[in-house]
Structure formats: C-alpha cells, structure tokens
Amino acid sequence: MNKSKAAFLFSAQRLGTQGLYMWTFTFAEVLSIRDTRKRWNHLLTLLRRRWPGLCGLRVFELHDRHGLHVHLVTNRFIDVNEARKLSKIAGWGRIHVMRVAVEKAAYLAKYLSKDREPCLKGWRLWAGFGEWDWSRVKDIIFETPRSVIYQACKAFYCWKGNSDFRSRMELVEKIFRRVIEEG
Amino acid sequence: MEKLIEAMKQGKVFLIGEFRGAKTDVIRYVDKKTGQASAFTATNYLVERPGALEVAMISQQVGDGTVDPTTIKVTAQKGKVYAFELSGMERVRGVFKARMPQGAEPLPI
C-alpha cells in the first residue's frame, strides 16, 4: 500500500457510513486519454449542476482493451436515467451503477496499485469532488521499516531538502537489506 | 519439487533464488488531519539470484489487519535455495521488488 492508496481508503471510509453507490462510466469506442479527461470534466460539471450537493471520489482506470474508464463513488442516490441523459450530452457511452458496502469501495483502490502508465504521468489517478474534506496524500504519515531508517539517516547525516533523494534512497535500501540479512 | 511443478502447471509464477533473510514488520498509516489509522503486517524476504536479478525484495502481507511480528516464524533457512511464488513484480530504482500471495510459503528446491 502506498500513501495515495491509504488516503483513498480513509476518504472512502469517511464518505459514507450507510452505504455507497459505485458508478462506472465507459465509452463504446476507445478515445484518447486527453479527450476522455475533457469529457469527464464536462460530465462532472453537468452532474454537479444537476445535484449541487453531490460529493464523492473518482478513480481513473486505464483498461487493457477499452481505454480510460472512470469509476465514481458517491454517498447519495442519483437517478440513473437522468445521469444517463447527462452522460449522453457529455458524449459518454455506457453507465453502470451498483450499491456497495463501505468496505467494498476499497475495491477501487486496486486500480491505484497498478503501475502508472506513462500517458498518465502527472495525473491524479483519484480525486475527491464536491463540498467535503477528503484525505490528501500530504496528510498521510506512515511508518515503515524504510521510513524509520530514512528518519534515522536524516538525523545522523543532517539531510535537508530533497536534493540527492535517489542516492539517499539507495543508502536506505542498502541498510534495509543489511538489517534483513543480519537480523 | 513435485509441489512446485504442480503449482507451475497451474500457471503460478515463481522466482527461484537463495534465501538471505526475512523480517516481519507492522506498517502503519495515519491521517494527521482526521486521525484515521490503518496498519498491516508484512514480511520482507531478501532473495539473491546472482547473474539474473542480483537481489530481489519480496514482500508478503501477513493475516488481515495487524499481527504481532514476533509471532511470525519464517521457516526458510539462510543460504538455501527456494522457489518463491509471485503475485506481482516491478523494478523500482534498479531494485527488483515483488509480492508473494498471502499464505504462500517458500518451497525448497
């Protein structure tokens, strides 16, 4: 699990306690990533105009054969027929919605574990929308053996800033390996 | 060995290498804004494969939620060759990192 995935899971836990709705938006044909994102922004604008209190989380999934999919988790009921009309206006194809338990929203986190494709570099693979305070990656602190070693090295070598980050991580990795090997 | 061949026939992927050591730790995540916390226990195996990968780091989640690391016993012996079942792999900053499915154990060769 990385920090992004942890932030997503915490957000999903807070989003709904009674249950969530999981939406999947897809296209009939494969579109370029840029076009898909434009259409997604258009659709989200339409959805939020129609349901101003709408809030939730969205996840991008780059499918092996069908291009970019958008998954959405919301905590309130939306009329699927109206949503279909709006998605048609924004140029989307199929819509699928199902009610899921809060724990099942973690299913979407599996897309965050996939390797990031080069075309998605610099993109937010997931994001919150609406008037609510979701967890941000910057708010997550984690404690792993590597982070403990990093902090110890930082104090010992008086590391400041982020310069030379790669060589620092190489050193941390070497120490970690030695800790494993020597127990 | 038969166990390994049977598993390979089922399509499972293995990395064969010399076991150099293992360490079990609890990994914790905390949201400093809301206070939400999550933790899980994972074992890291260090495997050497001279000539091919040099060193591989294989991690495996142990149980659901947090398990006391002191209760986890790794049966593999240092210096012996084992087959490690893999469920995913990647190369990060030149280090080969892989994941072993929950419940899987290194198979002696």
Side-chain angles (χ1 to χ4, degrees), chain A residues 27-85:
Chain A
F27 292 103
E29 75 277 24
V30 178
L31 289 181
S32 75
I33 304 295
R34 193 177 275 263
D35 286 342
T36 311
R37 188 163 62 166
K38 270 186 193 167
R39 290 194 193 189
W40 165 247
N41 288 338
H42 186 192
L43 177 60
L44 185 60
T45 307
L46 295 175
L47 290 171
R48 291 197 61 202
R49 267 190 207 147
R50 173 63 188 81
W51 293 283
L54 184 68
C55 57
L57 298 161
R58 73 105 182 103
V59 179
F60 284 143
E61 181 212 354
L62 190 58
H63 195 269
D64 292 342
R65 292 184 296 274
H66 306 298
L68 195 67
H69 290 184
V70 178
H71 299 279
L72 208 66
V73 184
T74 58
N75 62 351
R76 57 170 284 187
F77 174 80
I78 301 172
D79 183 2
V80 69
N81 293 319
E82 275 195 65
R84 277 210 177 97
K85 277 181 204 162

Side-chain angles (χ1 to χ4, degrees), chain B residues 2-22:
Chain B
E2 278 175 18
K3 220 175 167 182
L4 174 65
I5 292 167
E6 194 54 46
M8 286 173 87
K9 278 182 183 170
Q10 287 170 14
K12 290 178 180 170
V13 178
F14 287 85
L15 170 75
I16 295 169
E18 186 188 322
F19 175 74
R20 298 300 306 161

Side-chain angles (χ1 to χ4, degrees), chain A residues 1-3 6 9-11 13-14 113 115 133-136 138-146 165-166 169-170 173 176-183, chain B residues 20-34 36-40 44-46 48 55 57 78 89-97 99:
Chain A
M1 187 152 67
N2 53 29
K3 282 168 96 172
L9 291 173
F10 288 151
S11 302
Q13 279 170 15
R14 283 213 313 286
S113 303
D115 280 347
D133 197 18
W134 60 89
S135 292
R136 265 78 171 179
K138 65 175 182 176
D139 297 325
I140 306 296
I141 43 176
F142 68 133
E143 190 189 295
T144 66
R146 285 184 184 86
F165 180 73
R166 278 178 181 256
M169 288 309 290
E170 274 171 25
E173 198 64 42
F176 183 47
R177 274 188 221 162
R178 204 156 167 193
V179 168
I180 292 177
E181 211 170 340
E182 291 175 12
Chain B
R20 298 300 306 161
K23 193 174 184 295
T24 307
D25 295 285
V26 178
I27 293 164
R28 292 183 176 85
Y29 290 86
V30 179
D31 185 334
K32 62 184 176 188
K33 205 163 59 182
T34 63
Q36 281 173 286
S38 168
F40 64 93
N44 280 294
Y45 294 89
L46 186 68
E48 276 188 4
V55 175
M57 193 75 82
K78 192 174 171 179
M89 63 198 95
E90 60 189 335
R91 196 177 270 277
V92 183
R93 286 188 283 272
V95 181
F96 181 84
K97 290 184 177 176
R99 288 171 295 281

Side-chain angles (χ1 to χ4, degrees), chain A residues 105-117:
Chain A
Y107 163 80
L108 287 182
K110 88 178 174 99
Y111 301 125
L112 305 173
S113 303
K114 281 186 179 180
D115 280 347
R116 183 187 286 264
E117 299 296 339

